[in-house]
Amino acid sequence: MVNDQQTSLESKDIRTLTINVGPQHPSTHGPMDIVVTIEGETIIGADVKLGYIHRGIEKLCELRNFFQIPVYLNRLCYVSGMFWEYGFVKAVEEIMNQKVPERAEWLRVIACELTRIASHMIFFASFGADVGNLTLYSWGIRDRDRIIDVLELLSGQRMTFGYFRVGGVRYDVPVGFEDNIEKSLRYVESHLRDYERLTVENPVFIARTENIILADSSKALELGWTGPLLRATGLKRDLRRDEPYAVYDTIDFEIPTGKRGSVLDTFYVRIEEVKESIKIVRQAIKRIPSGPFQHRALLYPPPGIGYAHVEDSRGECGYMIVSDGSPKPYRVKIRSPAYVHVMSLPYILKGLKLADLYAVIGAIDPCLGEIDR
Amino acid sequence: MSELNVEDIKKILPYAEIYKIYKNKFYAKIPKENWIDSARRLKEAGFSLLITVTGIDRQNFMEVNYICRRPEGNGLVIVGTQIDRRDPRIPSLVNVWLGAHFHERETFDLLGIYFEGNLDLRRILLPEDWVGHPLRKDYKW
């Protein structure tokens, strides 16, 4: 895939070489093109090309009614669809000051945290494949499937859920849901120790990942990073704690952080986050009150502007919605965390080795659906 | 931390019209000349995490927005200003936030707003030879 080799043999630039990584590449997790310039083995420049699966979802939203839109939004990120529905629904609720019953808030927390576990499992799996650890790949997919089974019980769908509604959620839990959830959580939990032994305690894995530094905390903030990548640099920032929504302010959980912002740190943070999510789901099951799971809501909000944030498994998922009082939104702006992280690649890749590029892409955990929108 | 109110934001941006849109979330309408200055002031006041730069086609004018928040929580501001729709130009924020660069590229691509001073303003989501800017209200598809 060499496309722009310097032809002059006399030139001193003979060692610089431009390589297209993508758009069809197993390590880019989707159609994305990274044009890297290397000198020897060292990366001296990079450019990211996106848009291979741009579907124009922001434009589609302007052409649909408010209650039709969440159907499109869970397709934004097919491994963490719940968050993307939640962000939109929350922004609409903020514009119309809609109250949500307490049971629905807890159900939303359960749905989101289960999705976070499933999404991180996909991260473990794909990251394992990126650094040549195929055991991790099959384990990640296996454990994620148990979580997806629970989400299927909850919403009726395995990936494109359609679970959130303005004013609540779509369904209440089925009979026997608590036992099912506990069984699945125990299944996942029993394997987490194996994950740790295979990765953060494995000398081969540590040697491969600990010296690839993504960014320090000031650079991460300057670039607008959020989520696990920001926490890996050592900052304790989590929207569930800093700007609490739903019932997160009453839940007891820790915010894991890394030390240096290395690829190993991002892995460590995510493993710990899975443990915290399991803790949150257990608390939610215990504390969820009975009552209605949905309030009556207006079909569309009054004129206004709203911004809502949700702590996605990748960072801050944000929606800015402008309504002009008609049944369709005037403008929907989707803020995707993975877009920010992927577009930061040219700023962080300089000086790294080409072979480390795949570990960096894996650590960033791009989801091309939400990047291209 | 206590809840912010309109006066707290007014202290940072004295020239802005400020509306509270939700708890700890504000919308600030500023004159076009203060675009860069407002960003510098907000960043110094602790709103150091740029969420996004975007725009809204209001049909008789174009609105440009940026959203920033305090990384430790407690406060988010959506700043908006009006520019001419036929020749939408606004100074770039890349000298304030490095990360503004790719948000501006996206806004240029979808809405056709030129960010002066952004040296790498190319299309990002659409192909390079695409004609028009799809998020404009008069875009024909």
Side-chain angles (χ1 to χ4, degrees):
Chain A
M1 286 200 283
V2 177
N3 70 353
D4 190 22
Q5 196 169 3
Q6 296 282 334
T7 45
S8 153
L9 286 171
E10 310 299 318
S11 161
K12 281 192 173 174
D13 293 337
I14 184 70
R15 287 177 187 197
T16 62
L17 189 68
T18 309
I19 301 179
N20 279 340
V21 181
Q24 307 290 333
H25 192 286
S27 281
T28 56
H29 302 193
M32 165 174 77
D33 190 4
I34 302 170
V35 186
V36 284
T37 311
I38 54 171
E39 193 180 277
E41 281 282 300
T42 312
I43 298 172
I44 55 171
D47 187 23
V48 183
K49 291 186 179 166
L50 300 174
Y52 294 95
I53 52 166
H54 176 59
R55 293 149 291 176
I57 287 188
E58 288 178 12
K59 186 77 179 173
L60 275 170
C61 288
E62 291 176 15
L63 308 169
R64 296 289 183 277
N65 292 333
F66 275 94
F67 53 89
Q68 292 174 317
I69 291 173
V71 178
Y72 289 90
L73 297 178
N74 53 39
R75 271 105 177 140
L76 273 170
C77 183
Y78 27 78
V79 294
S80 60
M82 289 283 190
F83 295 107
W84 292 93
E85 290 171 25
Y86 190 10
F88 179 82
V89 163
K90 192 157 156 280
V92 176
E93 281 166 358
E94 285 186 10
I95 301 179
M96 54 170 134
N97 264 324
Q98 171 71 39
K99 286 266 179 329
V100 180
E102 209 190 331
R103 186 174 175 83
E105 297 274 35
W106 283 99
L107 285 172
R108 287 175 173 191
V109 167
I110 293 174
C112 280
E113 294 307 323
L114 287 174
T115 312
R116 194 185 311 277
I117 300 172
S119 173
H120 282 349
M121 287 298 163
I122 283 281
F123 163 78
F124 299 149
S126 56
F127 187 80
D130 285 345
V131 296
N133 192 337
L134 288 176
T135 314
L136 201 53
Y137 178 77
S138 41
W139 285 1
I141 298 289
R142 174 195 65 191
D143 291 347
R144 177 222 183 207
D145 212 61
R146 295 298 289 259
I147 302 294
I148 293 291
D149 285 344
V150 179
L151 286 170
E152 190 183 5
L153 277 181
L154 197 62
S155 69
Q157 297 289 333
R158 291 177 69 82
M159 279 165 90
T160 50
F161 304 105
Y163 187 58
F164 287 78
R165 286 286 180 273
V166 175
V169 293
R170 194 166 166 195
Y171 306 117
D172 207 342
V173 294
V175 180
F177 181 70
E178 290 81 357
D179 298 338
N180 252 305
I181 223 171
E182 183 57 38
K183 225 187 270 173
S184 293
L185 288 183
R186 245 184 237 156
Y187 184 81
V188 172
E189 209 175 20
S190 66
H191 293 136
L192 280 178
R193 187 76 196 108
D194 296 341
Y195 281 88
E196 285 178 343
R197 247 180 259 157
L198 196 61
T199 56
V200 290
E201 291 172 14
N202 175 356
V204 179
F205 188 88
I206 293 175
R208 177 81 177 86
T209 52
E210 76 171 340
N211 287 323
I212 310 172
I213 309 286
L214 297 179
D216 58 9
S217 53
S218 63
K219 192 174 183 184
L221 276 180
E222 187 73 14
L223 286 166
W225 285 13
T226 43
L229 287 186
L230 184 62
R231 290 194 279 279
T233 67
L235 286 181
K236 218 172 187 171
R237 297 283 164 258
D238 190 319
L239 288 171
R240 291 175 290 173
R241 183 58 57 75
D242 301 333
E243 285 277 4
Y245 52 92
V247 282
Y248 279 113
D249 46 352
T250 65
I251 298 176
D252 166 42
F253 65 101
E254 300 291 323
I255 303 169
T257 54
K259 288 191 185 77
R260 302 191 299 155
S262 67
V263 171
L264 184 64
D265 281 337
T266 64
F267 204 95
Y268 169 79
V269 165
R270 282 173 171 120
I271 282 201
E272 294 298 314
E273 262 177 39
V274 169
K275 291 182 192 162
E276 296 305 318
S277 291
I278 291 175
K279 219 164 97 185
I280 295 174
V281 175
R282 289 219 169 105
Q283 287 180 51
I285 293 288
K286 233 177 258 163
R287 290 175 54 190
I288 186 165
S290 53
F293 57 94
Q294 202 172 32
H295 273 338
R296 272 172 172 276
L298 298 171
L299 275 182
Y300 48 90
I305 186 166
Y307 178 88
H309 57 79
V310 172
E311 180 77 27
D312 181 23
S313 51
R314 291 175 179 76
E316 173 168 355
C317 139
Y319 280 91
M320 185 179 89
I321 296 178
V322 181
S323 159
D324 59 353
S326 72
K328 295 171 184 173
Y330 190 77
R331 171 92 168 92
V332 176
K333 163 70 191 170
I334 302 164
R335 193 266 186 195
S336 146
Y339 176 77
V340 177
H341 300 152
V342 161
M343 290 306 288
S344 311
L345 278 176
Y347 300 97
I348 60 174
L349 281 180
K350 267 176 211 156
L352 294 180
K353 301 285 182 225
L354 180 64
D356 294 341
L357 171 66
Y358 307 108
V360 172
I361 300 172
I364 276 179
D365 193 17
C367 176
L368 267 292
E370 64 168 88
I371 292 170
D372 283 351
R373 276 158 284 163
Chain B
M1 272 183 279
S2 62
E3 232 181 86
L4 286 182
N5 54 35
V6 173
E7 280 71 41
D8 297 323
I9 309 293
K10 192 83 186 167
K11 265 182 225 153
I12 306 168
L13 301 175
Y15 38 71
E17 273 177 54
I18 296 165
Y19 309 92
K20 185 171 182 169
I21 53 174
Y22 200 70
K23 185 184 151 200
N24 276 341
K25 294 175 186 168
F26 300 91
Y27 178 82
K29 195 174 160 192
I30 59 164
K32 192 180 151 192
E33 304 78 59
N34 300 107
W35 178 249
I36 294 280
D37 181 58
S38 66
R40 290 229 162 87
R41 279 164 183 260
L42 280 170
K43 196 180 178 189
E44 271 165 30
F47 290 81
S48 57
L49 186 65
L50 179 73
I51 301 294
T52 188
V53 179
T54 181
I56 306 165
D57 181 5
R58 297 278 192 182
Q59 285 171 317
N60 37 15
F61 60 88
M62 194 70 91
E63 184 177 333
V64 206
N65 305 83
Y66 67 87
I67 307 176
C68 56
R69 73 151 73 248
R70 288 201 167 127
E72 65 273 19
N74 199 23
L76 173 134
V77 185
I78 304 175
V79 178
T81 189
Q82 296 182 5
I83 52 175
D84 186 6
R85 191 170 179 279
R86 280 160 303 173
D87 183 25
R89 284 175 189 282
I90 193 87
S92 166
L93 293 175
V94 281
N95 292 329
V96 186
W97 283 289
L98 195 59
H101 161 56
F102 31 84
H103 295 298
E104 288 176 353
R105 260 181 86 180
E106 188 197 320
T107 310
F108 163 73
D109 189 3
L110 299 177
L111 276 155
I113 297 171
Y114 290 86
F115 291 89
E116 291 167 333
N118 187 332
L119 301 176
D120 190 28
L121 208 59
R122 291 172 289 151
R123 284 191 184 273
I124 171 81
L125 294 178
L126 297 172
E128 280 161 23
D129 54 353
W130 195 270
V131 180
H133 303 285
L135 283 184
R136 290 194 174 198
K137 292 285 173 186
D138 55 0
Y139 180 78
K140 297 274 185 301
W141 70 94

